[in-house]
Amino acid sequence: MNALDATAHKAVNERVITVQTKRSDNWAEFSTADTGPGVPPEQLSRIFEPFFSTKPNGMGMGLSIARTIVEFHGGIINIQNRSSGGAIVIVRLPLIR
């Protein structure tokens, strides 16, 4: 939903959301990248805090809940701005041995 919201202001042909999956060593990794405005750099460190949102009408719970679930399963979630514009969220979960 965040990627959809981030690209909503763009022309339809400029709305690009890319979802990728891959195996990296003993991790399953998936990412979602968008062509939206990205996250203001000064707010990146707070993006997973409960009740923090970059959206005017956001509740600030989605990424916080996602982080809790991912970390409960021994994973890692990260968000960063893309050099080409937009943001990318990367989730890594350990593979079962």
Side-chain angles (χ1 to χ4, degrees):
M1 291 302 299
N2 288 337
L4 291 173
D5 290 343
T7 58
H9 70 286
K10 293 193 159 232
V12 173
N13 63 335
E14 295 176 348
R15 297 177 192 174
V16 179
I17 298 171
T18 305
V19 178
Q20 293 183 317
T21 61
K22 71 177 182 178
R23 179 179 180 159
S24 179
D25 296 320
N26 290 321
W27 297 88
E29 183 176 300
F30 64 92
S31 62
T32 303
D34 65 54
T35 56
V39 179
E42 67 276 5
Q43 296 179 348
L44 273 171
S45 64
R46 299 189 60 208
I47 203 74
F48 293 104
E49 290 179 13
F51 306 110
F52 178 81
S53 180
T54 59
K55 301 179 205 176
N57 297 317
M59 290 181 57
M61 292 304 296
L63 289 174
S64 175
I65 292 169
R67 181 182 66 176
T68 299
I69 293 168
V70 168
E71 290 179 351
F72 177 81
H73 291 284
I76 301 164
I77 185 171
N78 187 23
I79 187 168
Q80 52 194 261
N81 287 318
R82 300 170 59 212
S83 59
S84 59
I88 182 169
V89 175
I90 302 168
V91 175
R92 296 184 75 196
L93 295 169
L95 295 171
I96 297 174
R97 296 179 189 155

